[in-house]
Short mmCIF file of all heavy atoms in Angstrom, two decimals:
data_model
loop_
_atom_site.label_atom_id
_atom_site.label_comp_id
_atom_site.label_asym_id
_atom_site.label_seq_id
_atom_site.Cartn_x
_atom_site.Cartn_y
_atom_site.Cartn_z
N GLY A 1 135.51 120.85 74.87
CA GLY A 1 135.74 119.41 74.91
C GLY A 1 134.97 118.70 73.81
O GLY A 1 134.11 119.29 73.14
N ASP A 2 135.27 117.44 73.60
CA ASP A 2 134.63 116.66 72.53
C ASP A 2 134.37 115.25 73.05
O ASP A 2 135.27 114.41 73.07
CB ASP A 2 135.51 116.62 71.29
CG ASP A 2 134.82 115.97 70.10
OD1 ASP A 2 133.74 115.39 70.29
OD2 ASP A 2 135.35 116.06 68.98
N LEU A 3 133.13 115.02 73.48
CA LEU A 3 132.78 113.71 74.03
C LEU A 3 132.84 112.60 72.98
O LEU A 3 132.94 111.43 73.34
CB LEU A 3 131.37 113.76 74.62
CG LEU A 3 131.24 114.17 76.08
CD1 LEU A 3 129.78 114.11 76.49
CD2 LEU A 3 132.08 113.29 76.97
N THR A 4 132.77 112.95 71.70
CA THR A 4 132.81 111.92 70.67
C THR A 4 134.22 111.40 70.44
O THR A 4 134.40 110.37 69.78
CB THR A 4 132.26 112.46 69.34
OG1 THR A 4 133.13 113.49 68.83
CG2 THR A 4 130.87 113.03 69.53
N ARG A 5 135.21 112.09 70.98
CA ARG A 5 136.60 111.66 70.79
C ARG A 5 137.33 111.40 72.09
O ARG A 5 138.28 110.62 72.12
CB ARG A 5 137.36 112.73 69.98
CG ARG A 5 136.91 112.82 68.53
CD ARG A 5 137.85 113.68 67.72
NE ARG A 5 137.57 113.57 66.30
CZ ARG A 5 138.31 114.12 65.35
NH1 ARG A 5 139.38 114.84 65.67
NH2 ARG A 5 138.00 113.98 64.08
N ASP A 6 136.92 112.08 73.14
CA ASP A 6 137.61 111.94 74.43
C ASP A 6 136.65 111.37 75.46
O ASP A 6 135.47 111.74 75.49
CB ASP A 6 138.13 113.31 74.90
CG ASP A 6 139.07 113.95 73.90
OD1 ASP A 6 139.96 113.22 73.40
OD2 ASP A 6 138.91 115.15 73.60
N PRO A 7 137.14 110.48 76.32
CA PRO A 7 136.25 109.91 77.34
C PRO A 7 135.83 110.96 78.36
O PRO A 7 136.52 111.97 78.57
CB PRO A 7 137.13 108.82 77.99
CG PRO A 7 138.54 109.26 77.73
CD PRO A 7 138.51 109.96 76.40
N LEU A 8 134.71 110.71 78.99
CA LEU A 8 134.19 111.61 80.01
C LEU A 8 135.07 111.55 81.25
O LEU A 8 135.37 110.48 81.77
CB LEU A 8 132.76 111.21 80.37
CG LEU A 8 132.06 112.01 81.47
CD1 LEU A 8 131.85 113.45 81.02
CD2 LEU A 8 130.71 111.36 81.81
N THR A 9 135.52 112.72 81.70
CA THR A 9 136.32 112.81 82.92
C THR A 9 135.73 113.89 83.83
O THR A 9 134.97 114.74 83.37
CB THR A 9 137.79 113.16 82.62
OG1 THR A 9 137.85 114.42 81.91
CG2 THR A 9 138.45 112.07 81.78
N PHE A 10 136.10 113.83 85.09
CA PHE A 10 135.59 114.79 86.06
C PHE A 10 136.75 115.50 86.75
O PHE A 10 137.82 114.90 86.93
CB PHE A 10 134.70 114.08 87.08
CG PHE A 10 133.46 113.51 86.48
CD1 PHE A 10 133.39 112.18 86.09
CD2 PHE A 10 132.34 114.31 86.27
CE1 PHE A 10 132.26 111.66 85.51
CE2 PHE A 10 131.19 113.80 85.70
CZ PHE A 10 131.15 112.47 85.33
N PRO A 11 136.57 116.76 87.12
CA PRO A 11 135.34 117.54 86.99
C PRO A 11 135.06 117.90 85.54
O PRO A 11 135.98 118.27 84.80
CB PRO A 11 135.62 118.80 87.83
CG PRO A 11 137.12 118.93 87.79
CD PRO A 11 137.65 117.54 87.76
N ALA A 12 133.81 117.78 85.13
CA ALA A 12 133.40 118.07 83.75
C ALA A 12 132.94 119.52 83.66
O ALA A 12 132.07 119.95 84.43
CB ALA A 12 132.27 117.13 83.33
N GLN A 13 133.51 120.25 82.74
CA GLN A 13 133.10 121.63 82.55
C GLN A 13 131.74 121.70 81.85
O GLN A 13 131.24 120.70 81.32
CB GLN A 13 134.16 122.39 81.74
CG GLN A 13 135.52 122.42 82.41
CD GLN A 13 135.47 123.03 83.80
OE1 GLN A 13 134.88 124.10 84.00
NE2 GLN A 13 136.07 122.35 84.78
N ARG A 14 131.16 122.89 81.82
CA ARG A 14 129.80 123.02 81.32
C ARG A 14 129.68 122.66 79.85
O ARG A 14 128.65 122.12 79.42
CB ARG A 14 129.28 124.44 81.56
CG ARG A 14 127.77 124.55 81.40
CD ARG A 14 127.28 125.93 81.71
NE ARG A 14 125.84 126.03 81.57
CZ ARG A 14 125.21 127.14 81.24
NH1 ARG A 14 125.89 128.26 81.03
NH2 ARG A 14 123.89 127.17 81.13
N ASP A 15 130.72 122.92 79.04
CA ASP A 15 130.63 122.58 77.62
C ASP A 15 130.47 121.07 77.44
O ASP A 15 129.67 120.61 76.61
CB ASP A 15 131.85 123.10 76.86
CG ASP A 15 133.17 122.60 77.43
OD1 ASP A 15 133.21 122.24 78.62
OD2 ASP A 15 134.16 122.56 76.69
N VAL A 16 131.21 120.30 78.22
CA VAL A 16 131.10 118.84 78.14
C VAL A 16 129.76 118.38 78.71
O VAL A 16 129.11 117.48 78.15
CB VAL A 16 132.26 118.17 78.90
CG1 VAL A 16 132.07 116.66 79.00
CG2 VAL A 16 133.59 118.49 78.18
N ARG A 17 129.32 119.01 79.79
CA ARG A 17 128.04 118.63 80.38
C ARG A 17 126.90 118.85 79.38
O ARG A 17 126.01 118.00 79.23
CB ARG A 17 127.78 119.42 81.66
CG ARG A 17 128.85 119.24 82.73
CD ARG A 17 128.36 119.62 84.11
NE ARG A 17 127.83 120.97 84.20
CZ ARG A 17 128.46 121.99 84.76
NH1 ARG A 17 129.69 121.82 85.26
NH2 ARG A 17 127.89 123.18 84.85
N LEU A 18 126.93 119.97 78.69
CA LEU A 18 125.87 120.26 77.72
C LEU A 18 125.91 119.28 76.55
O LEU A 18 124.87 118.88 76.03
CB LEU A 18 125.99 121.70 77.21
CG LEU A 18 125.62 122.78 78.22
CD1 LEU A 18 125.96 124.17 77.68
CD2 LEU A 18 124.14 122.71 78.59
N GLN A 19 127.10 118.88 76.12
CA GLN A 19 127.20 117.87 75.06
C GLN A 19 126.54 116.57 75.50
O GLN A 19 125.80 115.94 74.74
CB GLN A 19 128.67 117.60 74.73
CG GLN A 19 129.37 118.69 73.96
CD GLN A 19 130.81 118.33 73.69
OE1 GLN A 19 131.11 117.24 73.21
NE2 GLN A 19 131.71 119.25 73.99
N ALA A 20 126.84 116.16 76.73
CA ALA A 20 126.27 114.91 77.23
C ALA A 20 124.76 114.99 77.33
O ALA A 20 124.04 114.04 76.97
CB ALA A 20 126.88 114.57 78.59
N LEU A 21 124.25 116.13 77.79
CA LEU A 21 122.80 116.28 77.91
C LEU A 21 122.14 116.32 76.55
O LEU A 21 121.04 115.78 76.36
CB LEU A 21 122.48 117.56 78.68
CG LEU A 21 122.92 117.63 80.14
CD1 LEU A 21 122.51 118.96 80.76
CD2 LEU A 21 122.35 116.47 80.95
N ALA A 22 122.79 116.96 75.56
CA ALA A 22 122.18 117.11 74.25
C ALA A 22 121.93 115.76 73.58
O ALA A 22 120.97 115.61 72.82
CB ALA A 22 123.07 117.97 73.35
N ARG A 23 122.78 114.78 73.86
CA ARG A 23 122.55 113.47 73.26
C ARG A 23 122.12 112.43 74.30
O ARG A 23 122.16 111.24 74.06
CB ARG A 23 123.79 113.01 72.51
CG ARG A 23 125.02 112.73 73.35
CD ARG A 23 126.14 112.29 72.42
NE ARG A 23 127.22 111.63 73.13
CZ ARG A 23 128.15 110.90 72.54
NH1 ARG A 23 128.12 110.73 71.23
NH2 ARG A 23 129.10 110.32 73.23
N GLY A 24 121.72 112.92 75.48
CA GLY A 24 121.25 112.02 76.53
C GLY A 24 119.83 111.55 76.27
O GLY A 24 119.12 112.04 75.39
N ASP A 25 119.41 110.60 77.07
CA ASP A 25 118.08 110.01 76.92
C ASP A 25 117.01 110.99 77.36
O ASP A 25 117.06 111.53 78.47
CB ASP A 25 117.98 108.73 77.75
CG ASP A 25 116.64 108.06 77.60
OD1 ASP A 25 116.41 107.43 76.57
OD2 ASP A 25 115.80 108.20 78.51
N GLU A 26 116.04 111.22 76.50
CA GLU A 26 114.99 112.20 76.79
C GLU A 26 114.21 111.83 78.04
O GLU A 26 113.92 112.69 78.89
CB GLU A 26 114.05 112.33 75.59
CG GLU A 26 112.93 113.32 75.81
CD GLU A 26 112.04 113.47 74.60
OE1 GLU A 26 112.56 113.54 73.47
OE2 GLU A 26 110.81 113.53 74.78
N GLY A 27 113.85 110.57 78.18
CA GLY A 27 113.05 110.16 79.33
C GLY A 27 113.80 110.34 80.64
O GLY A 27 113.22 110.79 81.64
N PHE A 28 115.07 109.99 80.65
CA PHE A 28 115.87 110.14 81.87
C PHE A 28 115.98 111.61 82.25
O PHE A 28 115.79 111.97 83.42
CB PHE A 28 117.26 109.54 81.64
CG PHE A 28 118.17 109.63 82.83
CD1 PHE A 28 118.05 108.74 83.89
CD2 PHE A 28 119.16 110.59 82.90
CE1 PHE A 28 118.89 108.82 84.99
CE2 PHE A 28 120.01 110.69 83.98
CZ PHE A 28 119.87 109.79 85.04
N LEU A 29 116.27 112.46 81.28
CA LEU A 29 116.41 113.88 81.57
C LEU A 29 115.07 114.49 81.97
O LEU A 29 115.01 115.38 82.83
CB LEU A 29 116.98 114.62 80.37
CG LEU A 29 118.41 114.23 79.97
CD1 LEU A 29 118.86 115.05 78.77
CD2 LEU A 29 119.36 114.42 81.13
N LEU A 30 113.99 114.01 81.36
CA LEU A 30 112.66 114.50 81.73
C LEU A 30 112.35 114.17 83.19
O LEU A 30 111.83 115.00 83.94
CB LEU A 30 111.61 113.89 80.80
CG LEU A 30 110.17 114.37 80.99
CD1 LEU A 30 110.05 115.85 80.69
CD2 LEU A 30 109.23 113.56 80.09
N GLY A 31 112.67 112.94 83.60
CA GLY A 31 112.45 112.56 84.99
C GLY A 31 113.28 113.39 85.95
O GLY A 31 112.79 113.82 87.00
N LEU A 32 114.54 113.63 85.60
CA LEU A 32 115.38 114.46 86.46
C LEU A 32 114.87 115.89 86.51
O LEU A 32 114.84 116.52 87.58
CB LEU A 32 116.83 114.44 85.94
CG LEU A 32 117.65 113.20 86.22
CD1 LEU A 32 119.03 113.33 85.59
CD2 LEU A 32 117.79 112.93 87.72
N GLY A 33 114.49 116.43 85.34
CA GLY A 33 113.95 117.78 85.32
C GLY A 33 112.70 117.91 86.16
O GLY A 33 112.52 118.89 86.90
N TYR A 34 111.84 116.90 86.08
CA TYR A 34 110.62 116.88 86.89
C TYR A 34 110.96 116.85 88.38
O TYR A 34 110.31 117.50 89.20
CB TYR A 34 109.80 115.66 86.49
CG TYR A 34 108.49 115.48 87.22
CD1 TYR A 34 107.64 116.55 87.48
CD2 TYR A 34 108.10 114.21 87.64
CE1 TYR A 34 106.44 116.36 88.14
CE2 TYR A 34 106.90 114.01 88.30
CZ TYR A 34 106.07 115.08 88.55
OH TYR A 34 104.88 114.90 89.22
N SER A 35 112.00 116.09 88.73
CA SER A 35 112.38 115.99 90.14
C SER A 35 112.79 117.35 90.69
O SER A 35 112.52 117.65 91.86
CB SER A 35 113.51 114.97 90.32
OG SER A 35 114.76 115.48 89.87
N THR A 36 113.45 118.19 89.87
CA THR A 36 113.86 119.51 90.36
C THR A 36 112.65 120.39 90.64
O THR A 36 112.70 121.26 91.51
CB THR A 36 114.77 120.22 89.36
OG1 THR A 36 114.04 120.57 88.16
CG2 THR A 36 115.96 119.36 88.97
N GLN A 37 111.57 120.16 89.92
CA GLN A 37 110.36 120.96 90.12
C GLN A 37 109.56 120.49 91.34
O GLN A 37 108.72 121.23 91.84
CB GLN A 37 109.48 120.92 88.87
CG GLN A 37 110.14 121.57 87.65
CD GLN A 37 109.27 121.41 86.42
OE1 GLN A 37 109.33 120.41 85.71
NE2 GLN A 37 108.45 122.41 86.16
N ARG A 38 109.83 119.27 91.77
CA ARG A 38 109.11 118.72 92.93
C ARG A 38 109.90 118.83 94.22
O ARG A 38 109.58 118.19 95.22
CB ARG A 38 108.74 117.25 92.67
CG ARG A 38 107.82 117.05 91.47
CD ARG A 38 107.26 115.64 91.39
NE ARG A 38 106.39 115.35 92.53
CZ ARG A 38 106.71 114.53 93.53
NH1 ARG A 38 107.89 113.94 93.57
NH2 ARG A 38 105.85 114.31 94.50
N GLY A 39 110.95 119.66 94.21
CA GLY A 39 111.67 119.92 95.44
C GLY A 39 113.02 119.27 95.56
O GLY A 39 113.76 119.54 96.50
N TYR A 40 113.38 118.38 94.62
CA TYR A 40 114.68 117.72 94.68
C TYR A 40 115.69 118.51 93.86
O TYR A 40 116.22 118.05 92.86
CB TYR A 40 114.56 116.28 94.16
CG TYR A 40 113.67 115.42 95.02
CD1 TYR A 40 112.30 115.33 94.75
CD2 TYR A 40 114.17 114.73 96.11
CE1 TYR A 40 111.47 114.55 95.55
CE2 TYR A 40 113.34 113.95 96.91
CZ TYR A 40 111.99 113.87 96.62
OH TYR A 40 111.17 113.11 97.41
N GLY A 41 115.95 119.72 94.29
CA GLY A 41 116.88 120.55 93.55
C GLY A 41 116.80 122.01 93.96
O GLY A 41 117.73 122.76 93.75
N GLY A 42 115.70 122.39 94.55
CA GLY A 42 115.59 123.73 95.11
C GLY A 42 115.61 124.85 94.10
O GLY A 42 116.06 125.96 94.42
N SER A 43 115.14 124.63 92.88
CA SER A 43 115.11 125.71 91.90
C SER A 43 113.67 125.99 91.48
O SER A 43 112.83 125.10 91.50
CB SER A 43 115.95 125.36 90.66
OG SER A 43 115.42 124.23 90.01
N HIS A 44 113.41 127.23 91.12
CA HIS A 44 112.07 127.62 90.68
C HIS A 44 112.20 128.18 89.27
O HIS A 44 112.52 129.35 89.08
CB HIS A 44 111.47 128.66 91.62
CG HIS A 44 110.05 129.00 91.30
ND1 HIS A 44 109.05 128.06 91.25
CD2 HIS A 44 109.45 130.17 91.00
CE1 HIS A 44 107.90 128.62 90.93
NE2 HIS A 44 108.12 129.92 90.77
N PRO A 45 111.98 127.34 88.24
CA PRO A 45 112.27 127.75 86.87
C PRO A 45 111.10 128.45 86.19
O PRO A 45 109.93 128.21 86.50
CB PRO A 45 112.57 126.42 86.18
CG PRO A 45 111.68 125.45 86.89
CD PRO A 45 111.62 125.92 88.33
N PHE A 46 111.44 129.31 85.24
CA PHE A 46 110.49 129.90 84.30
C PHE A 46 111.03 129.65 82.90
O PHE A 46 112.24 129.75 82.67
CB PHE A 46 110.37 131.42 84.51
CG PHE A 46 109.81 131.82 85.84
CD1 PHE A 46 110.65 132.07 86.91
CD2 PHE A 46 108.45 131.95 86.03
CE1 PHE A 46 110.15 132.45 88.14
CE2 PHE A 46 107.93 132.34 87.25
CZ PHE A 46 108.77 132.58 88.32
#
């Protein structure tokens, strides 16, 4: 997919999701990533 030419639609496949994250706001993504480590996501990352 190409978010720069096509509007975001759902369900969004992983290629589109990664495009959106790559140009997303660092602070917003940092807060969300932090939330997953504090139990709001149930993942244990390395």
Side-chain angles (χ1 to χ4, degrees):
D2 187 350
L3 271 182
T4 65
R5 291 191 169 186
D6 302 314
L8 178 65
T9 58
F10 295 96
Q13 299 303 312
R14 195 177 181 209
D15 57 336
V16 172
R17 302 200 304 255
L18 288 172
Q19 287 180 49
L21 295 180
R23 66 180 197 164
D25 181 76
E26 180 178 317
F28 180 79
L29 296 181
L30 184 63
L32 283 178
Y34 180 43
S35 75
T36 68
Q37 295 176 274
R38 298 191 65 252
Y40 296 90
S43 62
H44 186 57
F46 296 92

